[in-house]
Amino acid sequence: MSKPLLKVAAVQVAPAFLDLEQGVQKTLGLIREAAAAGAGLIAFPECWIPGYPWWVWLDSPAWGMQFVARHFANCMTADGPEVRRIAAAAADHGIWVVLGYSERAAGSLYIAQLIIDAAGNIVSARRKLKSTHVERTIFGEGDGSDIKVHATEIGRLGALCCWEHINPLTKYAMFAQNEQIHVASWPAFSLYSGKAYALGPQLNNALSQVYAAEGQCFVVAPCGVVSPQMIEMLCDSPAKHDLLQAGGGYAMIFAPDGKPLATPLTPTAEGLLYADIDIEMIAYAKSAADPTGHYSRPDVARLLFNAAPTSRTPWVQCPQSFEETV
């Protein structure tokens, strides 16, 4: 018996910038809206709560210090009350949620994603394996346990953030786990417009599209929007206005052959993109090329992948004889 189609939703909306409570409220509203439209999964942009820290790209670290305390205070913990409210909403509306957020853990921050099932259970709280370029002045990094595909009732589900999609080894580790539905979370594409092609929508939407074709999986690619209010807060000079512009929304959903499945919104528009996906369609793409299966050559090239979590403070019990040695 064939599995029913799954309706998925990709968010293209500006965040409640640096406002945790309003960010949660906005999240709950979008979950409600997607569920009312019949979606079984909704995917949010990178750093959706409390918004991507664009200031790090606009000026010196000293100038950006004005945002540090406010940003830190408005980041969620992976198990805090805000997450519990979002998980409860997922359960109330019977919808899977993949949420991009900035995670606060003790004194450090991480670019992260939560995968929450339709019963409100936290399936995964993953971190971006390596923050990109100047992001590393704010965020720490994940480990091999964050590169994981999860067997779920809606299919084998995984997620990555932004330029994790430019790393061939990370992608191959995901493909090797037989991923079927992938969430590719992006912050927005209006930074350095006309100055850095690599940061623009053409290349980065292509990364999501090629991920679908290489992995023979469905890719839900939510994308944030830079609002005029964010521009007013962040851009205090003509030079900064030139570096970051309003808009940048380019959300899309791709099929396992790379075909776009949704009608795009304009870059300044906000809303949800929808598509019905049929997991059984993956078999047709896999029959042509499965790079981790029949289309691979393990006798020529293989990936060595360490999926173990890494503790920064492994506590050990010293033997009783230890005191005699000091």
Side-chain angles (χ1 to χ4, degrees):
M1 182 175 179
S2 61
K3 295 184 67 173
L5 298 181
L6 173 70
K7 189 172 187 176
V8 297
V11 172
Q12 180 176 308
V13 177
F17 197 62
L18 300 185
D19 190 326
L20 176 55
E21 175 56 29
Q22 287 302 310
V24 172
Q25 293 288 349
K26 206 165 192 176
T27 303
L28 301 181
L30 290 166
I31 289 172
R32 184 167 56 250
E33 179 182 344
L41 178 146
I42 181 172
F44 288 85
E46 183 183 44
C47 297
W48 163 252
I49 295 178
Y52 184 84
W54 296 106
W55 63 84
V56 75
W57 295 89
L58 299 178
D59 208 319
S60 68
W63 177 83
M65 283 293 168
Q66 64 185 294
F67 302 104
V68 167
R70 182 176 175 183
H71 181 235
F72 186 86
N74 283 278
C75 290
M76 298 193 305
T77 60
D79 57 354
E82 298 84 11
V83 170
R84 291 195 290 273
R85 288 167 61 192
I86 294 168
D92 289 343
H93 296 286
I95 187 171
W96 283 72
V97 176
V98 180
L99 182 75
Y101 72 114
S102 296
E103 179 195 349
R104 174 166 45 86
S108 292
L109 300 177
Y110 302 88
I111 295 174
Q113 289 164 297
L114 286 170
I115 299 178
I116 304 170
D117 71 16
N121 301 304
I122 306 299
V123 174
S124 172
R126 71 167 303 270
R127 294 171 176 171
K128 190 173 184 179
L129 188 62
K130 189 78 174 178
S131 299
T132 302
H133 196 37
V134 291
E135 289 174 357
R136 293 196 285 274
T137 65
I138 296 178
F139 298 107
E141 57 192 32
D143 57 38
S145 67
D146 295 305
I147 308 303
K148 188 172 182 179
V149 174
H150 305 272
T152 78
E153 63 192 38
I154 61 172
R156 297 189 59 81
L157 175 63
L160 296 174
C161 278
C162 199
W163 263 20
E164 287 187 297
H165 297 89
I166 210 168
N167 192 315
L169 301 183
T170 299
K171 294 191 294 182
Y172 198 82
M174 296 290 284
F175 299 158
Q177 298 173 66
N178 192 29
E179 191 175 24
Q180 296 172 315
I181 304 171
H182 176 78
V183 172
S185 294
W186 300 91
F189 303 131
S190 61
L191 179 71
Y192 299 177
S193 180
K195 301 174 179 62
Y197 188 87
L199 301 180
Q202 293 83 6
L203 174 69
N204 291 291
N205 263 21
L207 289 174
S208 294
Q209 186 175 31
V210 170
Y211 190 103
E214 286 183 337
Q216 300 87 48
C217 60
F218 289 94
V219 171
V220 185
C223 187
V225 174
V226 177
S227 68
Q229 294 78 12
M230 293 162 64
I231 294 294
E232 183 178 356
M233 182 188 300
L234 296 168
C235 300
D236 58 4
S237 69
K240 291 189 180 71
H241 279 278
D242 190 44
L243 294 176
L244 182 66
Q245 297 164 13
Y250 288 87
M252 185 44 65
I253 301 166
F254 296 101
D257 60 357
K259 179 182 178 180
L261 294 178
T263 300
L265 300 172
T266 62
T268 57
E270 297 184 76
L272 297 175
L273 277 69
Y274 296 101
D276 292 321
I277 66 174
D278 181 358
I279 294 295
E280 292 187 354
M281 295 301 296
I282 292 175
Y284 296 98
K286 289 287 187 185
S287 69
D290 181 3
T292 65
H294 67 80
Y295 205 49
S296 67
R297 283 292 304 275
D299 57 318
V300 175
R302 286 181 286 176
L303 172 65
L304 178 64
F305 174 51
N306 178 13
T310 302
S311 172
R312 286 159 175 79
T313 312
W315 298 98
V316 297
Q317 182 67 45
C318 295
Q320 292 182 349
S321 60
F322 176 77
E323 293 181 357
E324 302 174 359
T325 66
V326 296

